[in-house]
Amino acid sequence: MAKIYQYDMKVPFDMSDVNGFIKMPQLILLSLQVSGMQSMELGVSDRDLLEQRNLVWIITDYDITVHRLPVFDEQITIDTQALAHNRLFCYRSFVVRDQKGQAIVEMVATFVLMDRDSRKVQSVPEEITEPYESPFEKKIRRGPRYPELNGAMEQDYHVRFYDLDMNGHVNNSKYLDWVFEVMGAEFLSRHIPKRVHLKYVKEVLPGGMITSSVEREGMVSNHLISSEGQIHAQALITWEEIDKETLWKNED
């Protein structure tokens, strides 16, 4: 069984939205920081991979299930482990738990290794997965089918310098910012995501413009991030209306 790494914290003010929930892009960013802590502890940090092999981890997919979102000042624990791997893909799970140990958010992220200079995907060496005690899984996990958009609502965004991470590409959490923002403040103030599928297709270059497109049918929204005819990311989100009466009782 793969090694599990745990991190305890309280949800801070700057990670909380107007309803007091943790912001989903911030939760993704935090979870990746926790996985990075485990990698450093095991001696296979991002810096080690870059300096010794010129390799960087790239995320291709997220599958997120929200039972409920953590709220401001709530004590939570994030568990993560390298769930499985094969020759090209590595699967990592994240579980956010409340003080009673109940799973309130569950995520699986799919990673690949990429050469930083050539930007080409590389096979995963056994010596990189071995410290995590990650089991080999021959089967390739595949996400959902993303329908084409027709007559979608669109919003343009400028790609800023501080949207980039150490690898020189747009931070993973920023895509979810663009996906959520196009829904509008009125919708977001009354709804929270319950299931998120997010697929990264092509890197967004700094300094340009991207278009965030969405079509919504009932409580399901279909998203596309694109620029100059190129698809960069796709998402499918199932939403739930917020019960304002129980909003601040979730942590009890």
Side-chain angles (χ1 to χ4, degrees):
M1 182 177 178
K3 294 179 179 178
I4 298 176
Y5 186 89
Q6 291 187 322
Y7 179 75
D8 298 323
M9 63 167 287
K10 279 192 174 184
V11 178
F13 178 83
D14 61 351
M15 284 190 180
S16 308
D17 65 17
V18 294
N19 287 314
F21 293 115
I22 194 169
K23 301 171 187 174
M24 182 67 78
Q26 293 291 327
L27 182 58
I28 284 181
L29 193 59
L30 175 63
S31 298
L32 291 178
Q33 290 173 351
V34 175
S35 68
M37 293 177 191
Q38 183 185 35
S39 296
M40 289 181 65
E41 185 177 273
L42 296 175
V44 282
S45 70
D46 291 350
R47 183 178 294 276
D48 293 330
L49 289 179
L50 182 58
E51 292 180 349
Q52 298 172 16
R53 299 172 181 264
N54 201 42
L55 296 176
V56 294
W57 287 112
I58 299 296
I59 296 176
T60 63
D61 296 85
Y62 275 112
D63 182 355
I64 307 172
T65 300
V66 179
H67 305 291
R68 73 167 179 86
L69 283 174
V71 296
F72 166 63
D73 206 37
E74 180 177 6
Q75 183 74 31
I76 60 173
T77 299
I78 299 177
D79 295 351
T80 186
Q81 61 177 323
L83 197 61
H85 71 277
N86 51 50
R87 190 175 67 87
L88 290 177
F89 299 100
C90 295
Y91 307 103
R92 177 176 281 275
S93 71
F94 302 89
V95 181
V96 182
R97 302 184 186 276
D98 62 15
Q99 282 187 288
K100 298 177 182 178
Q102 295 178 324
I104 56 178
V105 180
E106 298 177 88
M107 296 188 283
V108 175
T110 303
F111 291 76
V112 297
L113 276 175
M114 185 181 76
D115 184 279
R116 188 179 184 185
D117 295 332
S118 69
R119 314 308 276 182
K120 292 183 179 180
V121 173
Q122 307 294 308
S123 59
V124 182
E126 185 177 341
E127 57 266 30
I128 290 179
T129 60
E130 188 175 3
Y132 301 97
E133 298 182 9
S134 166
F136 183 84
E137 181 179 277
K138 188 175 182 180
K139 180 182 177 182
I140 296 177
R141 304 186 183 197
R142 303 191 185 277
R145 176 181 172 273
Y146 294 87
E148 291 187 11
L149 275 66
N150 297 293
M153 180 174 63
E154 298 180 347
Q155 178 68 48
D156 293 333
Y157 296 95
H158 180 69
V159 183
R160 303 168 302 176
F161 177 81
Y162 288 110
D163 293 334
L164 308 180
D165 60 20
M166 287 178 59
N167 296 329
H169 62 257
V170 173
N171 189 281
N172 284 278
S173 64
K174 190 61 190 178
Y175 291 83
L176 205 52
D177 272 335
W178 293 328
V179 164
F180 281 178
E181 281 294 328
V182 76
M183 299 300 295
E186 183 179 352
F187 181 88
L188 293 175
S189 67
R190 296 186 290 108
H191 299 83
I192 56 173
K194 296 297 291 182
R195 187 73 183 268
V196 178
H197 291 284
L198 181 59
K199 177 182 179 181
Y200 300 100
V201 180
K202 183 180 176 62
E203 292 179 281
V204 172
L205 298 176
M209 298 290 295
I210 67 95
T211 299
S212 179
S213 308
V214 62
E215 285 184 352
R216 180 167 69 91
E217 183 174 344
M219 287 294 185
V220 178
S221 57
N222 182 17
H223 300 260
L224 182 70
I225 302 296
S226 62
S227 68
E228 299 181 354
Q230 294 284 331
I231 296 175
H232 294 280
Q234 296 169 281
L236 280 173
I237 304 177
T238 302
W239 300 87
E240 180 181 75
E241 192 166 357
I242 297 171
D243 184 351
K244 292 294 183 75
E245 292 184 3
T246 61
L247 182 58
W248 294 102
K249 297 179 182 178
N250 283 334
E251 59 179 322
D252 296 336

